[in-house]
Amino acid sequence: MKSKEIKILLSAPRGFCAGVERAIEIVEKSIQKFGAPVYVRHEIVHNKFVVDSLKKKGAIFVEELEEIEDRSRPVIFSAHGVPKKIPTDAKNYNMTYVDATCPLVSKVHREAENLNKAGYHIILIGHKNHPEVIGTMGQLPKGSIDLIQNEDEAKNYDNTYKKKIAFVTQTTLSLDDTKNIIQILKNRFKDLREPLKEDICYATTNRQMAVKKIANKCDMFFVIGSRNSSNSVRLVEVAKKSGCINSMLIHSESNIPYHDIQNSDVIGISSGASAPEILVENFINKLKNRFTITIDEVEIIKENVVFKIPNKLN
């Protein structure tokens, strides 16, 4: 007899966003068009399952162009975006490249460039060493953009350049944390220029709002996603702040805490924007093997965003 009845509140929207779907499709279409192997600079999206399945199809993942042995093969730039120097290097190597940067990240790149041309010094709110941050900072000349990661850094930021300042943000941040950082900067710099439209992307926003809606009804909350996925890690933080202290990330090496689940009546589940739905299904199936499960999907908004793939792959 199955032991325990547990209700799952399944957060929606969850999982793949349009930028991730487009990036994966670009790799698959590139393999179809150019044959295998194709190279991908950095993980196309931050998910081991996705990366492993693309490796099986003929993608070879590298961190830098210099690692590519056969430069007659095409290279794809990941969804997180790359510094300006990378396409230039690829051209110098006479390499064919396909840019899978998410259009919403490209929007931030263009925004930063335009502000720089208009004479602003740029603040980027984001996480150090995240590939998206490296890519955005790499759009501009050295010294024209500074990174702020948290409220303390915002409080202590010194506008040494004495230029007018503007800010842009990484697309996968926590809405609430970012709001606080922006407020501190606005209080300190009265003429701070902000983006016309928020930089945090629709998918990050929707997934966080969906988690907020159900977290306080849950005894435990699970986010399916990779440890290096910024938006997945933020979802765990959002669940904790929204009333479910017992929230955790389930990644490829996680042990499922069945004992704690056994003591729960209601658990919440969501997944990061780079996590395929099959990982959510697999997790739920593991729970079904041990418990009697009922599932209530709580959807806050329908997503119908689709991004076109580059013409050269059509």
Side-chain angles (χ1 to χ4, degrees), residues 230-250:
S230 172
N231 72 83
S232 304
V233 174
R234 300 291 83 76
L235 287 176
V236 177
E237 291 169 4
V238 167
K240 286 181 177 173
K241 283 185 178 169
S242 304
C244 185
I245 298 300
N246 204 351
S247 299
M248 65 185 288
L249 189 69
I250 295 288

Side-chain angles (χ1 to χ4, degrees), residues 88-249:
T88 307
D89 288 350
K91 280 179 195 146
N92 291 340
Y93 290 140
N94 288 324
M95 293 187 75
T96 302
Y97 67 84
V98 186
D99 189 353
T101 301
C102 171
L104 298 176
V105 174
S106 299
K107 167 190 156 286
V108 177
H109 289 183
R110 285 193 303 274
E111 209 169 30
E113 279 191 289
N114 291 339
L115 288 164
N116 176 249
K117 281 180 191 142
Y120 284 87
H121 185 76
I122 318 288
I123 290 171
L124 169 61
I125 300 170
H127 297 290
K128 192 177 181 177
N129 295 332
H130 188 279
E132 186 187 324
V133 164
I134 293 167
T136 300
M137 294 184 83
Q139 300 306 305
L140 301 181
K142 235 182 171 36
S144 53
I145 183 164
D146 291 324
L147 181 65
I148 285 183
Q149 300 186 80
N150 52 43
E151 292 180 31
D152 282 346
E153 288 182 10
K155 285 173 189 157
N156 296 317
Y157 179 72
D158 187 12
N159 179 18
T160 46
Y161 301 91
K162 303 297 175 239
K163 288 169 83 173
K164 37 188 196 169
I165 52 176
F167 76 86
V168 294
T169 81
Q170 188 179 331
T171 61
T172 53
L173 299 176
S174 152
L175 293 169
D176 293 339
D177 292 352
T178 311
K179 210 183 288 169
N180 295 343
I181 293 169
I182 291 167
Q183 198 48 58
I184 291 166
L185 291 171
K186 280 184 172 172
N187 292 345
R188 295 192 56 218
F189 305 107
K190 296 303 173 210
D191 299 324
L192 181 70
R193 168 100 176 248
E194 59 186 316
L196 293 172
K197 189 173 176 295
E198 192 167 60
D199 290 334
I200 294 177
C201 81
Y202 79 93
T204 300
T205 304
N206 291 346
R207 279 151 192 68
Q208 288 181 18
M209 299 308 281
V211 167
K212 273 184 177 180
K213 189 175 168 83
I214 59 176
N216 65 354
K217 303 182 180 81
C218 301
D219 303 308
M220 295 188 80
F221 204 101
F222 298 99
V223 175
I224 315 295
S226 293
R227 282 168 287 191
N228 60 344
S229 160
S230 172
N231 72 83
S232 304
V233 174
R234 300 291 83 76
L235 287 176
V236 177
E237 291 169 4
V238 167
K240 286 181 177 173
K241 283 185 178 169
S242 304
C244 185
I245 298 300
N246 204 351
S247 299
M248 65 185 288
L249 189 69

